[in-house]
Amino acid sequence: MDDALRIGGLPLVRLRGLDTPTSGPAFVEAIVLPGRGMMLLQARLRLASGEVVDAIVAPDPSAAARQLDGGAEDFAGNAAFSFGGAILAPYANRIRGRAVEGAREIETDVAGHMVRLPRNWGGKAEGAEQYAMHGLILDAPVPWRQEAADRVSGRLEAGDFDGRWPGRTVLEFEWRLAAGGLALRVTASNAGSEPLPMGIGWHPYFALPSGERRQARLWVPASSRTLVNDYDEVLPTGATEPTADGPYDFSAPGGRALGETYLDDCFTDLWRQDGVAAAEICDPAAGLGLRISSASPQVTAVQVYAPPDKPFVVIEPQFNLADPYGAEWRGRQTGMASVPPGGSVTYEARVTAFTPGNP
């Protein structure tokens, strides 16, 4: 591969739209890193004005390579979900368990199997709990091919994820630019002889080009949000509350201004139209809106992360709620798929751009 298409030791794949509309906002380019679990590094879109802007918050490729270096700050691939858009599998969000003495691991029950997962995240306060976060492919190199300028695909024979997950998994990925939109497809197939537990998500940092976070508007049509102990550990209590008419009701047409609201919240009981779940982030000052949608019926939740002092909003459509096997849920269905031997499950997400007032 051409050295110009590498950052550090990682291959870099550029996608360019071949059928981009000539008017209105549209995605024109995307950059994917197969060497880090097929994560999205950057996507660029053309505004209605003709200006091309970054749609994703991420460092330039050389700076990204320095962060994705496998060092202490990148333990278990953590740097991959600090910018860009990491793909999360075989679970999204957090999983709790017993800390293993002398190892950065937890031991926990996953669908009746005891496993050890990397203890790669947790609260910052003294004594805060540490746990497993965002899956097992954050630093996985994925064999890939690019058969056209507007798409790239990959296939990872993950097996049991180096002994960390029950069953045997094959993951297939596709990124594509089509008709001005950006689309992701991940298919998880069960190559084993027992049911395969599977949760999939995506973690994109959507940029607010104006930098004016207060006026940005969020639309998440959902009936409930899960409650957490605090915004440090962000661990679910097992309770949910209705969003209607409250401070976390973002369901009105056109959404609601973020103002100074801090968000690290999981919205569930999603409203669907024609089987599609969707959310939007709108930056009126920049003349840009982004719609994130998924036709995957297994997507049961949308996690939103939006600190008041940052010019981005992370919107994560995902199969599962946080800590999906935790006792706090008291047997509630938490969104993890159970894939039968020989079967598969597919995660889809699509992002399209629009001009505010003309969705």
Side-chain angles (χ1 to χ4, degrees):
M1 182 172 182
D2 189 329
D3 287 342
L5 297 180
R6 300 185 78 87
I7 59 168
L10 297 174
L12 177 154
V13 183
R14 293 185 186 273
L15 308 184
R16 299 189 185 280
L18 300 179
D19 58 352
T20 304
T22 56
S23 62
F27 285 89
V28 295
E29 182 185 69
I31 302 174
V32 175
L33 298 181
R36 296 305 296 259
M38 294 294 288
M39 72 175 287
L40 181 72
L41 176 60
Q42 186 53 269
R44 296 189 174 92
L45 57 84
R46 185 197 62 228
L47 300 178
S49 66
E51 180 186 5
V52 175
V53 299
D54 290 343
I56 300 292
V57 171
D60 65 66
S62 59
R66 289 192 294 271
Q67 294 184 49
L68 300 169
D69 63 358
E73 296 300 316
D74 191 30
F75 171 68
N78 281 1
F81 66 81
S82 64
F83 54 79
I87 298 172
L88 318 177
Y91 56 89
N93 222 305
R94 297 146 174 82
I95 290 185
R96 303 172 70 182
R98 181 186 65 82
V100 177
E101 187 175 354
R104 290 186 68 179
E105 297 177 325
I106 60 167
E107 187 174 68
T108 192
D109 182 285
V110 170
H113 300 264
M114 292 303 297
V115 298
R116 287 190 174 190
L117 302 176
R119 183 159 42 102
N120 61 320
W121 203 251
K124 307 301 182 187
E126 184 177 355
E129 183 175 337
Q130 309 297 294
Y131 40 75
M133 185 76 154
H134 287 338
L136 300 171
I137 66 167
L138 297 169
D139 56 0
V142 178
W144 61 279
R145 66 181 185 276
Q146 186 175 20
E147 296 179 343
D150 60 351
R151 69 192 63 195
V152 62
S153 60
R155 177 183 172 92
L156 177 64
E157 297 196 15
D160 61 3
F161 296 89
D162 295 326
R164 294 191 180 277
W165 198 253
R168 299 197 64 78
T169 304
V170 176
L171 292 170
E172 295 177 281
F173 308 85
E174 183 186 64
W175 285 101
R176 67 187 186 278
L177 289 173
L182 174 67
L184 166 66
R185 177 191 291 261
V186 183
T187 298
S189 299
N190 185 351
S193 58
E194 297 182 3
L196 172 68
M198 183 57 53
I200 305 175
W202 180 41
H203 195 282
Y205 284 77
F206 292 115
L208 301 174
S210 73
E212 298 177 21
R213 193 264 193 190
R214 287 181 55 86
Q215 53 87 52
R217 303 185 69 85
L218 175 68
W219 178 67
V220 182
S223 297
S224 309
R225 74 173 183 121
T226 64
L227 301 184
V228 297
N229 60 336
D230 57 43
Y231 278 142
D232 182 42
E233 294 175 322
V234 201
L235 294 173
T237 65
T240 62
E241 71 173 14
T243 57
D245 301 321
Y248 297 92
D249 185 355
F250 294 93
S251 64
R256 178 177 186 166
L258 289 175
E260 296 297 332
T261 301
Y262 182 98
L263 289 170
D264 195 354
D265 290 88
C266 185
F267 295 86
T268 190
D269 297 320
L270 306 177
W271 305 354
R272 293 177 180 268
Q273 183 173 3
D274 298 326
V276 175
E280 293 177 357
I281 183 65
C282 184
D283 184 352
L288 175 66
L290 294 175
R291 179 180 177 88
I292 305 91
S293 61
S294 176
S296 300
Q298 293 82 10
V299 169
T300 64
V302 172
Q303 183 85 16
V304 178
Y305 173 56
D309 59 342
K310 302 293 184 182
F312 64 72
V313 177
V314 180
I315 300 178
E316 309 167 52
Q318 54 195 39
F319 282 10
N320 60 280
L321 305 179
D323 195 30
Y325 297 104
E328 67 272 17
W329 293 115
R330 301 176 184 86
R332 171 182 169 147
Q333 293 297 313
T334 55
M336 292 293 289
S338 179
V339 185
S344 64
V345 66
T346 297
Y347 174 94
E348 293 182 332
R350 178 174 171 81
V351 188
T352 52
F354 62 90
T355 300
N358 185 29

